[in-house]
């Protein structure tokens, strides 16, 4: 009861006018895609609460934006799936929660900072199963114990009162919804994506092969120039990058020059951007790079992978497992249990 009272107070105590039931504005408090500083005044004032949209509260972050950002960066998606796979491998299925349903819960929690399990009972009130409710569309009701499934233009569905278990990653601004821990690395993940897309468009454009053949040598006649032009035209397509030979007797030193018009491959800092943004994303997820198949940039490598995996299991996997154990208390029985995260050994072989 104290927690519900605090949540109701956090959602209602504000300095806005009395129109608390008004729909959210067209501009979201947190916009995805446009770079903006963390300490921008507008965002600081807009993120003090979750907007009340009729019977439920809107999340402080765009669930659609978080879902799209999953595939924005290779390392961002890989780090999340690494944790999901390890949690799923250590999970021991029960009669009411299958491994597939738990995998969905783990993915929603790590991606959105929220996961929801729907309690399904028999006519006598016995717990039959726990099914995940998609965190992307689930909304917390204004009244305690009420949850809604909101999916765009479709009809809103309300779950049974007190029939939803909600696990959330703590947020310092409100306690209605959770916020994923990797939010600070989203700008780096988007920059990584932008660098990749820019380089891809650059190659599709074809300008990387362009140059100007600058000829001022008077010793060359028109026939030689036409033959050189034809040879360059034939160098395109299969078998390109052929060598060209130009014979200019008595020509000047700089009578024939090649002026590249595309030096971007050496100037756009593509590899530096990719490496720096990768490090930012991995630091936010706290996943050792060797567990994601990342190649080291130095000859020394990343160190012993088994030691890194052991520390990762102790510092990251076990705390995540402990958070999901709260489902046992809510369900009234042991529905979630894990085996220890252990690495295989070669003993006895």
């Amino acid at each position: 009861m104290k927690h519900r009272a605090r949540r109701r107070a956090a959602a209602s105590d504000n300095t806005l006018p009395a129109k608390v039931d008004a729909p959210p504005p067209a501009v979201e408090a947190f916009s995805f895609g446009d770079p903006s500083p963390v300490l921008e005044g507008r965002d600081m004032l807009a993120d003090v609460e979750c907007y009340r949209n009729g019977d439920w509260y809107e999340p402080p972050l765009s669930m659609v934006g978080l879902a799209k950002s999953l595939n924005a960066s290779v390392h961002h998606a890989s780090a999340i799936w690494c944790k999901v796979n390890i949690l799923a491998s250590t999970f021991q299925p029960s009669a009411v929660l299958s491994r597939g349903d738990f995998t969905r819960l783990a993915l929603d929690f790590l991606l959105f900072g929220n996961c929801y399990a729907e309690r399904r009972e028999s006519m006598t009130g016995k717990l039959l199963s726990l099914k995940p409710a998609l965190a992307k569309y689930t909304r917390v009701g204004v009244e305690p114990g009420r949850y809604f499934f909101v999916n765009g233009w479709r009809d809103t569905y309300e779950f049974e009162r007190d029939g939803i278990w909600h696990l959330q990653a703590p947020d310092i601004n409100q306690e209605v919804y959770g916020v994923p821990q990797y939010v600070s690395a989203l700008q780096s993940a988007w920059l990584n994506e932008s660098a990749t897309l820019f380089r891809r468009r650059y190659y599709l454009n074809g300008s990387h092969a362009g140059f100007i053949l600058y000829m001022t040598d008077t010793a060359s006649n028109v026939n030689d120039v036409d033959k050189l032009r034809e040879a360059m035209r034939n160098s395109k397509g299969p078998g390109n990058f052929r060598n060209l030979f130009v014979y200019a007797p008595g020509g000047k030193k700089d009578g024939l020059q090649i002026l590249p018009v595309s030096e971007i491959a050496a100037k756009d800092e593509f590899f530096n951007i990719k490496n720096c943004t990768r490090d930012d994303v991995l630091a936010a997820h706290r996943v050792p790079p060797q567990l994601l198949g990342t190649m080291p940039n130095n000859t020394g490598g990343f160190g012993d992978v088994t030691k890194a995996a052991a520390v990762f299991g102790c510092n990251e996997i076990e705390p995540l497992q402990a958070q999901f154990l709260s489902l046992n208390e809510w369900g009234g029985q042991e529905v979630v249990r894990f085996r220890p995260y252990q690495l295989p050994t070669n003993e006895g072989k």
Side-chain angles (χ1 to χ4, degrees):
M1 293 301 293
K2 292 182 179 180
H3 174 73
R4 294 177 177 175
R6 289 198 306 271
R7 189 179 72 181
R8 190 183 301 111
S12 60
D13 292 343
N14 55 75
T15 59
L16 295 176
K19 296 181 179 180
V20 293
D21 290 327
V27 180
E28 297 181 0
F30 191 98
S31 59
F32 282 86
D34 297 331
S36 59
V38 176
L39 297 181
E40 186 178 7
R42 181 187 61 193
D43 287 344
M44 288 182 62
L45 297 177
D47 198 27
V48 297
E49 65 169 345
C50 298
Y51 269 101
R52 176 175 174 177
N53 189 0
D55 294 329
W56 64 84
Y57 293 109
E58 292 294 338
L61 300 182
S62 170
M63 297 292 104
V64 176
L66 291 176
K68 291 181 179 180
S69 299
L70 173 63
N71 297 319
S73 167
V74 175
H75 300 93
H76 175 56
S78 182
I80 291 179
W81 278 110
C82 176
K83 294 182 181 181
V84 171
N85 291 336
I86 294 177
L87 286 173
S89 66
T90 59
F91 173 75
Q92 296 179 338
S94 60
V96 296
L97 184 60
S98 65
R99 189 185 303 275
D101 290 337
F102 173 78
T103 302
R104 164 67 68 176
L105 291 174
L107 176 61
D108 282 351
F109 180 71
L110 292 172
L111 177 59
F112 300 106
N114 300 272
C115 66
Y116 307 86
E118 180 184 8
R119 181 186 182 98
R120 298 186 179 179
E121 300 177 341
S122 64
M123 297 296 295
T124 60
K126 180 182 178 181
L127 178 61
L128 296 179
S129 64
L130 291 171
K131 293 294 181 180
L134 299 181
K136 183 178 178 180
Y137 307 107
T138 304
R139 300 292 180 263
V140 179
V142 175
E143 299 181 7
R146 297 183 66 187
Y147 289 85
F148 299 86
F149 191 85
V150 183
N151 187 7
W153 54 268
R154 296 177 178 83
D155 293 336
T156 301
Y157 171 77
E158 181 177 1
F159 296 97
E160 293 289 337
R161 186 182 287 268
D162 296 325
I164 290 291
W165 171 76
H166 181 195
L167 178 63
Q168 55 177 290
D171 180 32
I172 60 174
N173 296 308
Q174 44 79 37
E175 55 180 358
V176 179
Y177 290 97
V179 173
Q181 298 179 2
Y182 62 80
V183 172
S184 59
L186 280 177
Q187 297 287 358
S188 296
W190 295 331
L191 178 59
N192 189 294
E193 179 192 34
S194 298
T196 303
L197 293 178
F198 175 80
R199 176 57 66 92
R200 187 165 178 260
R201 294 191 187 100
Y202 167 68
Y203 275 101
L204 290 176
N205 184 48
S207 63
H208 58 282
F211 62 90
I212 298 175
L213 183 62
Y214 182 61
M215 179 179 293
T216 59
D217 195 344
T218 57
S220 300
N221 55 46
V222 177
N223 292 332
D224 293 338
V225 173
D226 293 338
K227 291 179 181 179
L228 181 60
R229 184 185 296 111
E230 184 66 20
M232 294 178 60
R233 185 181 298 111
N234 294 334
S235 66
K236 299 179 181 180
N240 53 2
F241 296 103
R242 300 169 183 167
N243 297 324
L244 296 178
F245 174 75
V246 178
Y247 176 65
K252 298 179 181 179
K253 178 181 179 181
D254 296 328
L256 184 65
Q257 301 182 50
I258 295 180
L259 305 179
V261 297
S262 175
E263 292 289 342
I264 194 169
K267 296 181 179 179
D268 67 345
E269 299 292 338
F270 176 73
F271 293 104
N272 289 336
I273 293 176
K274 296 290 287 187
N275 292 335
C276 292
T277 54
R278 176 202 65 190
D279 295 342
D280 289 345
V281 171
L282 294 185
H285 288 287
R286 299 178 299 278
V287 178
Q290 56 265 53
L291 298 185
L292 304 181
T294 302
M295 299 299 294
N297 295 328
N298 52 52
T299 57
F302 292 121
D304 191 350
V305 63
T306 57
K307 294 181 179 179
V311 174
F312 175 69
C314 179
N315 292 348
E316 292 295 325
I317 300 303
E318 291 184 5
L320 287 173
Q321 293 175 342
Q323 295 188 63
F324 282 98
L325 292 178
S326 62
L327 184 55
N328 295 335
E329 181 180 355
W330 182 84
Q333 63 186 76
E334 187 181 28
V335 296
V336 175
R337 55 180 177 269
F338 298 94
R339 64 172 180 82
Y341 175 56
Q342 297 177 346
L343 301 176
T345 61
N346 294 325
E347 296 180 0
K349 294 185 180 180

